[in-house]
Amino acid sequence: MPFSLHGIGVSRGYAIGRTYLLQRNQPEITEYIIPDTIIEDEVQRFLNSLNIAKQQLRDIRVQVPATAPAEATAFIDTHLLMLEDTTLTEAPIKLIRSHKYNAEWALKIQRDSLVQVFEEMDDPYLRTRKEDVEHVVRRVQHILVTEDAAYLNNSDYTELTSSRLEGRIIVADDLTPADTILMQHQGVLAFVTEYGGPLSHTAILARSLGIPAVVGARNARTYLGHDEPVVVDGRAGVILTGLDERILRYYRHKQQEERRQQRELHKLKGKPAITRDGLTIQLYANIELPEDAVAVRDVVADGIGLYRTEFLFMNRSDVPDEEEHLASYLHVIKILEGSPITIRTADLGADKQVDSGRGGPICTNPALGLRAIRMCLKDLAMFRPQLRAILRASAYGPVRMMIPMLSTIQEVFQVLRLVTETKQELRDRGLAFDDAMPIGGMIEVPAAAVCAPQFARYLDFLSIGTNDLIQYTLAIDRVDNEISYLYDPLHPAVLMLIHNTIRAGHKAGIPVSLCGEMAGDSRYTALLLGLGLTQFSMHPTALLEIKRVIQDSNVAELTKVVRRLLHTTDTEKYGEMIKGIAGN
Ligand code: PEP
Ligand code: MG
């Protein structure tokens, strides 16, 4: 009997194969008191375990294939940096000395408090980074508990260094970036994990390695048997079992079709995105780390529409200085060789790591609290170095600056005043910058979308952040799984706000792009074209497929359909029309 299990499809593609259920060998952590005489030995034991962990990660790093995307090594580097960070290195030592804890227990206590800090964070990306803490701590605890020099197999899963995984579909509770890389080496067909969301490491890595993946498939290891034949649909987020010849034939066909499409898509590299009725659309890419710029160049995007700069603030207790900001921007400028780069100013939430007390107490509703531009305007000591660096970077290439989460026009005025002051400072220091550097804003709060004409008047460009716009319009926390069924990009209110923003930009004669996940989802391309969008910014891996849809579209026709759609009050009719334009 066919049976289907559902999760979140995070990396498209079909896999047909047998499962391999991974059971983690979880280290058991117990507390015991260390006698005074051997406390320094315990400290040494802890330091040794950190060194072994670092060596393990370095060993994995050299196994990353040269063809792998930059993210693969970046994730390992993040873990290596964490093993150098005082929050993980010095704090447990203090606990060993002050409380006479054993090393495993001291590390556990420190882990618990770090995880709590991450859980209170507002930004969904940073919030999911608590995985990093978990993964790094688990690695060190393993080393401490096993105390076995032979146990240096680099993973919680002994299987990962064997070759038994070739051609298998991996089913696990959760996977670290290192696990994912090791498995890619083993030639696994797909990943299914019980935890994690679209922003988890497994998801991001699987997407860039081109391996189908489903995350958040709760209890997958209970419902799926070991060595069971299954199909994984990495787009729909479905795992099918109880396969018969008919189902297999269907999915084999889909697989072939997918491969053929991939080959076709590669041919679109460097070709313009022109609709059937002759409109040229600009396709930009979103990046999270400077190294991601390589993928942007490879896919020949028109530039970077969103450079998220939050990574600069991660895994540290101080804030980055002007030179650090500048170095990371120049890195990207160099790779992009003349294409425009839109640098977004810090979009941080109620984040203890960066506010270190300056942001006041953690609020009860961080998404509505001191985040993004609100935090920057409150903490100028943090904001000013970034402004100086962005301006200085503009002397080296076509840089644009973008402000996240605007809700009132006063925030724009404040930023513009700060930019004017910063320019004067740079002049006084004899430093070069582009006096005409465009300054734009993200429209991701409904208030800003409704008042888009005001924002369009004072800014050089707008960019619609649908991830947040949907969250704020529909009053649903974008990272809360309980209400994810309400997260609906096709809600008429969302479409009206997008439409209003695009229209306001066009009327004011300034460009409007859309840089939320919707831009890279081909189900919405026709709809967005019909809403008047001419600039899309997305994950580089989505760019060629979006280009293909654009080349197949007729904007004049879509505009008419969308106009009718926006005027429909009959919900049944709306449902039918939306299916027609954003159906699959
Ligand atoms: C958005 O909100 O759509 C967006 C692109 O920004 P982020 O996902 O970084 O909040
Ligand atoms: Mg946003």
Side-chain angles (χ1 to χ4, degrees):
M1 255 271 285
F3 166 77
S4 67
L5 190 71
H6 296 253
I8 309 163
V10 291
S11 179
R12 54 183 301 168
Y14 303 95
I16 305 171
R18 288 182 175 275
T19 56
Y20 197 107
L21 265 53
L22 286 179
Q23 303 296 345
R24 186 182 297 284
N25 21 16
Q26 196 73 269
E28 198 173 319
I29 307 301
T30 47
E31 178 189 1
Y32 51 93
I33 299 295
I34 303 291
D36 283 338
T37 49
I38 56 163
I39 279 189
E40 288 313 308
D41 294 345
E42 190 65 5
V43 168
Q44 199 47 51
R45 191 169 79 90
F46 175 65
L47 290 173
N48 286 346
S49 68
L50 292 179
N51 285 335
I52 294 174
K54 278 188 251 178
Q55 191 51 48
Q56 288 182 343
L57 286 173
R58 282 188 213 111
D59 290 348
I60 292 171
R61 204 180 185 287
V62 296
Q63 293 185 45
V64 176
T67 50
E71 279 129 322
T73 41
F75 285 147
I76 300 291
D77 288 341
T78 305
H79 285 197
L80 274 166
L81 278 176
M82 287 175 79
L83 285 167
E84 305 273 357
D85 196 286
T86 50
T87 49
L88 272 185
T89 55
E90 287 174 16
I93 292 179
K94 280 193 190 134
L95 285 168
I96 295 172
R97 290 196 175 123
S98 61
H99 289 68
K100 303 181 191 176
Y101 286 153
N102 51 318
E104 299 85 326
W105 193 255
L107 189 56
K108 180 202 172 300
I109 299 288
Q110 181 60 8
R111 169 216 163 269
D112 291 350
S113 74
L114 285 174
V115 163
Q116 200 191 340
V117 171
F118 275 92
E119 274 170 354
E120 280 163 1
M121 284 182 187
D122 172 23
D123 186 286
Y125 179 76
L126 292 180
R127 196 143 94 190
T128 56
R129 296 293 71 96
K130 87 171 181 311
E131 290 169 18
D132 290 303
V133 176
E134 306 258 27
H135 292 157
V136 169
V137 167
R138 205 157 56 214
R139 177 175 293 281
V140 179
Q141 283 183 329
H142 247 305
I143 296 163
L144 284 166
V145 169
T146 53
E147 299 260 15
D148 177 1
Y151 176 85
L152 292 183
N153 67 1
N154 286 335
S155 170
D156 294 348
Y157 301 112
T158 32
E159 294 98 328
L160 294 195
T161 43
S162 74
S163 55
R164 277 177 285 165
L165 304 183
E166 195 177 340
R168 292 302 197 90
I169 289 165
I170 303 303
V171 186
D173 56 349
D174 178 28
L175 295 168
T176 66
D179 292 336
T180 315
I181 288 165
L182 283 173
M183 273 190 263
Q184 196 238 358
H185 263 283
Q186 306 293 341
V188 305
L189 294 181
F191 304 121
V192 176
T193 64
E194 296 180 344
Y195 300 98
L199 298 174
S200 64
H201 275 151
T202 319
I204 295 169
L205 268 179
R207 266 197 297 277
S208 47
L209 295 168
I211 300 173
V214 176
V215 300
R218 291 292 153 99
N219 301 318
R221 288 172 308 160
T222 313
Y223 296 121
L224 299 174
H226 188 62
D227 206 24
E228 182 170 358
V230 297
V231 165
V232 174
D233 179 343
R235 178 172 185 161
V238 175
I239 304 115
L240 281 176
T241 68
L243 310 176
D244 57 27
E245 199 38 52
R246 199 173 44 92
I247 297 176
L248 281 172
R249 220 174 317 126
Y250 175 77
Y251 279 101
R252 279 192 201 115
H253 174 72
K254 287 214 143 244
Q255 249 182 344
Q256 275 168 3
E257 186 55 21
E258 172 101 8
R259 284 188 198 127
R260 193 190 57 74
Q261 277 179 11
Q262 285 304 326
R263 283 196 299 273
E264 290 300 310
L265 284 184
H266 276 273
K267 294 185 194 158
L268 296 182
K269 274 191 195 176
K271 301 252 166 69
I274 303 178
T275 64
R276 277 197 300 177
D277 51 340
L279 184 68
T280 300
I281 305 294
Q282 256 90 46
L283 297 182
Y284 296 98
N286 297 349
I287 63 167
E288 322 236 343
L289 296 168
E291 301 80 50
D292 297 345
V294 176
V296 179
R297 190 188 53 198
D298 290 351
V299 85
V300 201
D302 289 312
I304 290 174
L306 166 62
Y307 179 3
R308 292 182 166 103
T309 57
E310 292 76 53
F311 78 94
L312 282 160
F313 297 81
M314 284 163 57
N315 302 320
R316 59 193 295 166
S317 49
D318 57 347
V319 294
D321 64 20
E322 181 180 328
E323 298 305 321
E324 277 178 80
H325 277 288
L326 184 63
S328 70
Y329 307 152
L330 293 186
H331 186 89
V332 174
I333 290 172
K334 199 164 162 214
I335 295 171
L336 267 277
E337 295 166 347
S339 307
I341 296 161
T342 313
I343 304 175
R344 179 174 74 179
T345 57
D347 186 7
L348 299 158
D351 175 348
K352 274 194 195 126
Q353 262 197 109
V354 290
D355 72 23
S356 36
R358 283 171 298 198
I362 296 287
C363 51
T364 48
N365 200 337
L368 304 182
L370 194 65
R371 62 166 285 208
I373 191 58
R374 301 171 180 186
M375 180 183 275
C376 288
L377 290 174
K378 178 148 185 185
D379 190 345
L380 294 179
M382 176 185 91
F383 193 32
R384 283 187 194 275
Q386 181 164 40
L387 288 182
R388 287 196 294 267
I390 295 175
L391 272 164
R392 285 177 63 190
S394 72
Y396 295 86
V399 165
R400 315 194 303 169
M401 183 176 106
M402 182 156 82
I403 314 160
M405 212 207 166
L406 290 166
S407 57
T408 91
I409 197 72
Q410 274 66 34
E411 288 162 339
V412 174
F413 297 155
Q414 274 179 276
V415 173
L416 294 181
R417 250 194 322 270
L418 280 168
V419 170
T420 307
E421 281 171 29
T422 310
K423 284 181 176 175
Q424 192 50 48
E425 249 182 81
L426 295 181
R427 272 187 211 105
D428 294 345
R429 284 164 61 195
L431 294 168
F433 60 88
D434 171 12
D435 197 26
M437 178 186 77
I439 299 176
M442 286 191 72
I443 302 297
E444 45 186 353
V445 174
V450 171
C451 296
Q454 273 189 33
F455 288 89
R457 181 171 172 171
Y458 296 101
L459 289 165
D460 298 317
F461 65 93
L462 303 179
S463 187
I464 307 171
T466 42
N467 305 343
D468 277 312
L469 186 62
I470 297 166
Q471 144 166 280
Y472 292 128
T473 306
L474 305 180
I476 38 139
D477 187 339
R478 68 193 238 192
V479 294
D480 186 343
N481 287 339
E482 290 295 315
I483 38 95
S484 59
Y485 69 99
L486 288 171
Y487 195 87
D488 180 12
L490 302 176
H491 191 294
V494 173
L495 302 191
M496 284 179 201
L497 291 174
I498 294 176
H499 188 233
N500 198 50
T501 307
I502 295 171
R503 213 174 32 184
H506 289 179
K507 271 198 183 154
I510 61 165
V512 180
S513 70
L514 190 148
C515 61
E517 289 300 303
M518 271 183 99
D521 190 328
S522 58
R523 288 172 299 179
Y524 307 131
T525 312
L527 175 67
L528 293 173
L529 288 170
L531 284 164
L533 191 72
T534 54
Q535 299 196 348
F536 293 60
S537 189
M538 67 203 82
H539 192 280
T541 50
L543 197 132
L544 295 176
E545 196 199 349
I546 300 299
K547 191 184 282 186
R548 182 185 58 77
V549 179
I550 288 169
Q551 289 179 338
D552 270 351
S553 304
N554 182 317
V555 174
E557 274 169 26
L558 291 169
T559 309
K560 283 189 218 149
V561 177
V562 169
R563 196 172 297 146
R564 279 202 302 278
L565 177 82
L566 293 177
H567 285 99
T568 307
T569 49
D570 179 330
T571 46
E572 212 171 298
K573 218 160 154 200
Y574 183 88
E576 271 168 34
M577 290 176 80
I578 207 89
K579 243 190 239 158
I581 195 166
N584 42 44

